[in-house]
């Protein structure tokens, strides 16, 4: 999603990081790269992402020019991190998201990955993922990606039911899903399928059919997200006019519980509230890139609207006490993004300096959603006092609480936002 960006504080034209991030962050802090590709063939009615169709853009913001534009930001990133003493770390994970990255030619995606490799190098066994629509790949394009170093693809399946896909304004034929999964696996890619539940008009039987269709492909990772209808989207307007009716919370909860039951029975373990993988959180199929976000690793986000984050130095490199990290974000429109880079300026729109309290709060908000949870000792005194009540309400696992960890139950996953509020207020 592309939430409204906070104003933050200005970023220097050269993109320089605050002086207190120097010298280098500790070697154990992993480094990832996110590449935002802001193009789609059509804009779906529910989509609130920072995406554009090819007809909307031109010049340096066009699909044809985009790889060259993004490579300019990689050059900038190398200078900024080197100047801050943060260079020299190989990239552990790379994630191409969007939009639909695979609307770009596979050769352009390969060139962008080569740019990441040439800039920092890739760690041994690096995970390299691209999102894709089922109708945006071919066997040949997938082989090109594998030859370039891609290891994983995440297909936007969303549903296996035609009338649900029509409501979502998705353009692919659901019968194509098994075919593209087979193409990807034959090429040597690990495959994930993304599903959305809670579409207006979707029955529980429809949702069961979608989950079972995903499992029938034999994939080792499934993401399942509740539909959120954001203001400003076409679907929001349809709901407001009474043309579409959103499901109630009980319907959403029933579909989540069904998802967990079906995926668990098939051997996929939940490792984050909306993600299941064979082998769970520590297995080979969990998304290591997303885990890096949830664990607070460093990353550079390339592309319009992309966010980046660098934590404060560790032992031996004490920052000013009030600083624990810096987050910044690029301008959202591709034309403004391209214009800044063409002028030799950072495309960053603003940044936020995180305090130690900010960092602790974010750690709780993110880690509590993971299967492993987090140590009770990481909570504030007030939050630790709330754990017993959350266990009594069936939201936290009592046995894990006795062992000193905060871990959600199935009911807790359904009410994860409420648990987070209780642990962070």
């Amino acid at each position: 999603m592309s939430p409204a960006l906070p104003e933050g504080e200005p970023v220097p034209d050269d993109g320089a990081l605050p002086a207190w991030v120097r010298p280098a962050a500790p070697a154990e802090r992993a480094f990832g790269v996110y590449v935002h590709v802001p193009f789609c063939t059509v804009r779906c009615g529910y989509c609130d992402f920072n995406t554009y169709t090819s007809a909307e853009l031109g010049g340096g913001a066009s699909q044809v020019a985009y790889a060259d534009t993004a490579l300019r930001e990689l050059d900038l990133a190398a200078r900024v991190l080197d100047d801050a003493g943060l260079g020299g770390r190989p990239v552990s994970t790379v994630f191409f998201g969007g939009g639909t990255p695979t609307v770009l030619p596979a050769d352009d995606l390969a060139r962008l990955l080569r740019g990441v490799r040439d800039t920092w190098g890739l760690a041994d066994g690096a995970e390299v993922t691209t999102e894709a629509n089922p109708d945006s790949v071919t066997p040949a394009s997938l082989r090109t990606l594998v030859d370039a170093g891609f290891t994983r693809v995440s297909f936007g399946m969303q549903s296996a039911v035609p009338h649900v896909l029509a409501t979502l304004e998705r353009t692919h034929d659901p019968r194509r899903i098994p075919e593209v999964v087979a193409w990807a696996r034959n090429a040597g890619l690990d495959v994930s399928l993304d599903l959305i539940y809670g579409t207006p008009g979707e029955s529980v039987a429809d949702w069961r059919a979608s989950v079972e269709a995903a499992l029938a492909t034999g994939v080792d990772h499934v993401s399942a997200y509740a539909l959120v209808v954001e203001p400003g989207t076409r679907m929001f307007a349809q709901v407001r006019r009474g043309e579409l009716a959103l499901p109630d919370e009980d319907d959403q909860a029933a579909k989540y519980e069904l998802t967990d039951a079906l995926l668990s029975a098939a051997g996929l373990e939940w490792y984050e509230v909306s993600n299941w993988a064979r082998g769970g959180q520590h297995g080979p199929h969990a998304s290591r890139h997303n885990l890096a976000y949830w664990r607070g690793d460093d990353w550079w986000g390339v592309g319009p609207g992309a966010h980046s984050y660098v934590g404060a130095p560790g032992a031996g490199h004490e920052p000013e006490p009030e600083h624990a990290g810096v987050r910044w974000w690029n301008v959202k429109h591709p034309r403004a993004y391209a214009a800044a880079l063409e002028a030799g300026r950072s495309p960053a729109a603003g940044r936020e300096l995180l305090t130690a309290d900010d960092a602790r709060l974010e750690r709780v908000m993110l880690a509590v959603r993971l299967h492993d949870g987090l140590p009770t000792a990481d909570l504030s005194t007030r939050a630790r006092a709330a754990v017993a009540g959350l266990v009594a309400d069936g939201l936290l696992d009592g046995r894990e609480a006795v062992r000193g960890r905060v871990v959600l139950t199935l009911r807790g996953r359904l009410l994860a936002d409420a648990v987070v509020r209780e642990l962070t207020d």
Side-chain angles (χ1 to χ4, degrees), residues 24-78:
E28 64 268 16
R29 187 189 294 278
F31 176 52
V33 174
Y34 171 75
V35 181
H36 185 70
V37 178
F39 307 113
C40 282
T41 305
V42 297
R43 181 188 291 276
C44 300
Y46 67 92
C47 182
D48 188 44
F49 294 179
N50 188 35
T51 63
Y52 304 81
T53 62
S54 58
E56 296 177 84
L57 302 169
S62 70
Q63 290 185 31
V64 172
Y66 187 71
D68 289 331
T69 302
L71 286 169
R72 287 194 183 100
E73 187 177 359
L74 286 178
D75 290 339
L76 171 80

Side-chain angles (χ1 to χ4, degrees), residues 113-183:
L113 179 57
R114 186 163 60 249
V116 173
R117 182 186 289 111
D118 291 346
T119 302
W120 294 291
L122 295 179
D124 291 342
E127 176 192 88
V128 182
T129 303
T130 186
E131 294 180 331
N133 282 347
D135 52 3
S136 66
V137 298
T138 65
S141 70
L142 292 167
R143 285 194 298 271
T144 297
L145 295 179
V146 170
D147 290 344
F150 283 77
T151 65
R152 189 172 179 274
V153 62
S154 179
F155 286 118
M157 174 180 173
Q158 317 311 3
S159 176
V161 179
H163 79 84
V164 175
L165 290 173
T167 300
L168 293 171
E169 299 184 47
R170 300 292 290 183
T171 58
H172 68 269
D173 185 334
R175 293 172 297 184
R176 187 177 174 86
I177 297 296
E179 183 176 46
V180 297
V181 169
W183 290 349

Side-chain angles (χ1 to χ4, degrees), residues 3 50 75 82 135 140 150 170 207 218 230 246 275 277 285 288 316 335-336 345 356 386 388-389 394 397 419-420 423:
N50 188 35
D75 290 339
D82 283 347
D135 52 3
F150 283 77
R170 300 292 290 183
W207 178 244
E230 299 286 356
L246 293 176
N275 290 273
H285 303 291
R288 287 192 276 132
R335 286 199 193 99
R345 294 183 284 106
D397 187 311
V419 174
V420 167
L423 295 177

Side-chain angles (χ1 to χ4, degrees), residues 29 281-282 287-298 363 366-367 370 372:
R29 187 189 294 278
Q281 184 171 338
H282 304 287
S287 171
R288 287 192 276 132
H289 187 83
N290 286 337
L291 283 169
Y293 291 150
W294 295 320
R295 290 170 175 160
D297 289 338
D298 294 349
R363 170 164 166 69
L366 296 172
L370 296 173
D372 286 3

